[in-house]
């Protein structure tokens, strides 16, 4: 079986185009076949039948911004895990199992310290 | 040149088959959900359209085609129209790396069953494409210029940042056992040994819960909580644009079921699959069917979580559990000497 860049990535591009076409047909068909009756009331934002009060997008207190920052940190850590996970078996079978396991345990422990600190500081709570 | 043309035709046919299969699968998943949830609640469910209600999805689809495509005056038009596409397309593209089987001999031509089975960064591809479809939801929430939609989009973001970590970390176990990011390789490793759910039962459970949150299924359907937010991020959508969101959600359900089957339940693996490769898609289909049934069962049984509890559960329970899973997978390799 030939595995190279071409046979791996081009089919995905083709699938992307096919699914874009699919979405295009669906939206185009809906535009062609559906009725169009507009009115001033209908054009307003839906607010359970009331007149919309103020703009729809306004400044909102995003309570979880601290969690979002933590997410970025931990997500990068997940990416760090991946290459380690791929080579773990190779290292283990070559007798370097203890080394690679310890390396990762150190990494996990450092992470857990940060995690415990964030938890204790209340970054995961809603005030 | 001739070979290139043939390859392009092959990919287009396979892509078309997959998209068509997923669209049909989506239609009948809605039917499955209505029937099965009805049974669980001691009702009958749709039974009027066609024999036993089997034409219900077709009727629903046709109806949506003839509904008005409506764009509110205050919406940000470009983003408003882009959002449904951005939700639906990644849902289909995720399926590109899921193998449906080994390969078949089609009049002397070897055709691998699957779009890109042997992609060497398959799992990474899954993670990245799965995150793209969240953009569609957030964009829909923002561009609708509607308070309910905005809140739905924000909730979706919060949910994504709370559960994506557990999702990503629960992938690590199968990767370590197989020693590869290649989906076909992960299945081959399971065919030689046992399905990874035996070694990593906890990782499978963590994956399933995180996947439910990722596809906004109950009990994690906060972004579209009907009782609080009307319809959440797709409040202002109608007609085909609404159905693209709907389709995206259900195709994502199918996709995470397929991923779960591939990573933990051997994918297309089953009896005689190496002799008759065409059994592969059937086995995968059966596994997806069971997983979808479980999702519907959970929806019919569980109440919705409160928003802050949901985030706390993601960060305080799921994340430590999934970190523990990584260590567990290493221990499985070292102590049980797998494979």
């Amino acid at each position: 079986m030939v595995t190279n860049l071409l046979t791996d990535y081009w089919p995905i591009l083709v699938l992307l185009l096919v699914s874009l076409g699919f979405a295009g047909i669906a939206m185009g068909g809906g535009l062609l076949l559906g009725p169009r009756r507009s009115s001033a009331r209908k054009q307003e934002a839906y607010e359970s039948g009331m007149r919309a009060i103020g703009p729809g997008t306004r400044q909102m207190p995003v309570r979880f911004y601290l969690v979002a920052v933590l997410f970025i940190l931990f997500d990068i850590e997940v990416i760090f895990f991946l290459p380690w996970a791929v080579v773990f078996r190779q290292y283990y079978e070559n007798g370097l199992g203890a080394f690679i396991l310890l390396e990762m345990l150190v990494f996990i422990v450092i992470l857990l310290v940060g995690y415990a600190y964030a938890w204790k500081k209340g970054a995961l709570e809603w005030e | 040149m001739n070979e290139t043309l043939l390859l392009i035709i092959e990919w287009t046919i396979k892509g078309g088959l997959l998209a068509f299969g997923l669209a049909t699968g989506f239609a009948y998943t809605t039917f499955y959900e209505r029937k099965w949830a009805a049974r669980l609640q001691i009702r009958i469910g749709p039974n009027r359209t066609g024999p036993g209600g089997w034409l219900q999805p077709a009727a629903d689809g046709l109806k949506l085609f003839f509904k008005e495509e409506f764009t509110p005056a205050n919406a940000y038009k470009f983003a408003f129209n882009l959002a449904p596409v951005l939700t639906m397309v990644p849902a289909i593209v995720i399926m590109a790396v899921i193998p449906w089987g080994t390969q078949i001999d089609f009049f002397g031509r070897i055709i691998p069953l699957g779009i890109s089975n042997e992609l060497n960064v398959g799992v990474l591809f899954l993670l990245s494409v799965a995150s793209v479809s969240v953009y569609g939801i957030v964009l829909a929430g923002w561009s609708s210029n509607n308070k309910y939609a905005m809140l739905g989009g924000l909730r979706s973001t919060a949910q994504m940042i709370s559960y994506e970590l557990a999702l990503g970390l629960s992938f690590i176990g199968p990767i370590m056992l197989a020693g590869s990011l290649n989906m076909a390789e992960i299945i081959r490793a399971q065919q030689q040994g046992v399905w990874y759910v035996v070694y990593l039962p906890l990782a499978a459970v963590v994956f399933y819960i995180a996947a439910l949150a990722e596809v906004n299924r109950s009990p994690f359907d906060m972004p579209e909580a009907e009782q609080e937010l009307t319809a959440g991020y797709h409040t202002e959508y109608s007609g085909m644009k609404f159905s693209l969101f709907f389709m995206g959600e259900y195709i994502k359900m199918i996709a995470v079921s397929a991923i779960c089957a591939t990573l933990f339940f051997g994918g297309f693996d089953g009896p005689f699959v190496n002799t008759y490769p065409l059994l592969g898609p059937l086995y995968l289909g059966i596994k997806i069917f069971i997983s979808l049934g479980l999702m519907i069962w959970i929806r019919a049984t569980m109440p919705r979580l409160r928003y802050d509890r949901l985030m706390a559960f993601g960060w305080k329970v799921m994340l430590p559990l999934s970190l523990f899973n990584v260590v567990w997978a290493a221990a499985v390799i070292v102590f049980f000497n797998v494979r």
Side-chain angles (χ1 to χ4, degrees), chain B residues 241-323:
Chain B
K241 269 182 268 179
F242 161 72
S243 76
L244 282 183
F245 276 119
F246 205 50
M247 199 184 272
E249 188 186 326
Y250 277 81
I251 292 179
K252 265 194 282 178
M253 276 168 69
I254 298 174
V256 294
S257 300
I259 297 168
C260 186
T262 308
L263 291 180
F264 296 104
F265 294 91
F268 57 79
D269 188 28
F272 310 115
V273 77
N274 285 326
T275 346
Y276 306 102
L278 277 177
L279 280 174
L282 181 70
Y283 288 137
L284 185 61
I286 291 171
K287 285 168 191 172
I288 291 174
F289 183 78
I290 294 170
S291 162
L292 286 175
L294 190 61
M295 282 186 187
I296 296 163
W297 189 359
I298 291 172
R299 178 175 180 185
T301 314
M302 299 272 288
R304 190 176 291 134
L305 262 79
R306 210 175 72 196
Y307 187 45
D308 57 333
R309 299 248 172 103
L310 178 137
M311 287 183 74
F313 182 68
W315 279 93
K316 293 178 179 171
V317 181
M318 299 284 280
L319 185 63
L321 268 183
S322 53
L323 270 172

Side-chain angles (χ1 to χ4, degrees), chain B residues 6-79:
Chain B
L6 271 176
L7 268 180
I8 289 175
I9 292 171
E10 181 194 316
W11 294 334
T12 316
I13 290 174
K14 281 198 292 195
L17 269 178
L18 180 65
F20 183 75
L22 283 176
T24 318
F26 145 71
Y28 277 92
T29 309
T30 63
F31 182 62
Y32 182 28
E33 171 157 35
R34 291 172 72 176
K35 274 288 193 190
W36 180 210
R39 287 288 164 199
L40 289 167
Q41 294 162 352
I42 327 180
R43 294 181 287 120
I44 295 173
N47 65 346
R48 297 287 149 151
T49 326
W54 276 86
L55 290 178
Q56 186 67 42
D60 286 344
L62 270 178
K63 181 199 75 180
L64 281 169
F65 256 112
F66 291 99
K67 289 286 175 187
E68 182 173 354
E69 286 286 342
F70 179 69
T71 313
N74 286 330
Y76 305 99
K77 298 261 167 0
F78 177 70

